Amino acid sequence: MIARPRSFPRPAALALAVTASLWLAASAAAGPPWISVEIPANPHDRATRDALLVVRAYNHGTGTAYRVTGVAEGIVDGRRVSVPLAVARTNAAGVYAVARPDLVAGRWVLVLRLSEGRTGATALVPLDSRGEVAGARVPARRSGDGWMIPRDVTDADVDAALRGERMAADGEGGAAELALAAFGLAALGLGLRRRR
């Protein structure tokens, strides 16, 4: 007698298929995680009053309590240095305050990561010579259905940011970077109008 492989009874198999389909549909509708950087921090909120910047963690458009970690990567006297950042959760969902790090003179970029989620979302935040935020970018690619999917940041990305270079174009986008660019264009437009 030939033994047949065991299979789920039809009602159980159907229930499993429906459950899997609903889970996949809910996951697709939820969209990818995202991380954004807000400057300046709100001085009227105790949780963010003295922060260098505020990080917002999202899943699609909803603030989500993903774990956020950060490290300052720098070049000091020609050597690579890493300093952990103090990242504190606030009372608002998905909002974190990043304390101003005590850094020595050198070139620095902050690497802020969502430590949970389906894909790594990381913000690269270069600092200027005064230790102030000089910009922010979230390396990402655009999916076939239009989502911006953040990608994990590599050591090469951090090295490029420390050298002041743009990362290779791969469809990345960052709200803060776009805002800074728009501000620069607006300032240029005002300067040109005043000359006339």
Side-chain angles (χ1 to χ4, degrees):
M1 177 177 196
I2 299 173
R4 291 183 163 205
R6 292 186 75 180
S7 61
F8 289 110
R10 285 190 181 202
L14 182 60
L16 181 62
V18 169
T19 302
S21 298
L22 290 173
W23 180 82
L24 288 172
S27 296
W34 193 257
I35 186 171
S36 65
V37 174
E38 178 181 307
I39 57 170
N42 182 355
H44 305 294
D45 182 347
R46 281 188 194 164
T48 62
R49 181 171 294 150
D50 296 319
L52 172 65
L53 57 88
V54 172
V55 172
R56 293 184 181 269
Y58 297 98
N59 190 338
H60 189 61
T62 304
T64 306
Y66 288 133
R67 185 169 168 252
V68 175
T69 61
V71 63
E73 296 286 350
I75 299 176
V76 178
D77 295 328
R79 291 184 5 189
R80 183 75 173 267
V81 180
S82 296
V83 176
L85 297 173
V87 180
R89 190 174 294 218
T90 69
N91 292 335
V95 179
Y96 302 83
V98 178
R100 188 175 293 277
D102 186 20
L103 303 173
V104 297
R107 290 190 68 110
W108 293 95
V109 63
L110 307 184
V111 181
L112 301 162
R113 283 191 166 91
L114 297 186
S115 298
E116 299 166 25
R118 289 171 289 154
T119 183
T122 306
L124 293 176
V125 182
L127 301 181
D128 65 18
S129 60
R130 296 166 298 148
E132 298 297 327
V133 173
R137 64 181 316 132
V138 177
R141 63 177 176 76
R142 188 169 299 279
S143 69
D145 55 359
W147 292 108
M148 288 301 290
I149 309 294
R151 67 172 175 79
D152 290 325
V153 168
T154 65
D155 287 337
D157 294 328
V158 175
D159 290 339
L162 283 169
R163 289 190 305 267
E165 299 171 1
R166 275 187 63 85
M167 290 172 285
D170 59 356
E172 65 228 16
E177 181 184 49
L178 294 174
L180 288 171
F183 176 77
L185 289 173
L188 178 63
L190 287 174
L192 291 174
R193 282 189 194 142
R194 286 187 182 153
R195 287 185 185 167
R196 290 180 182 178

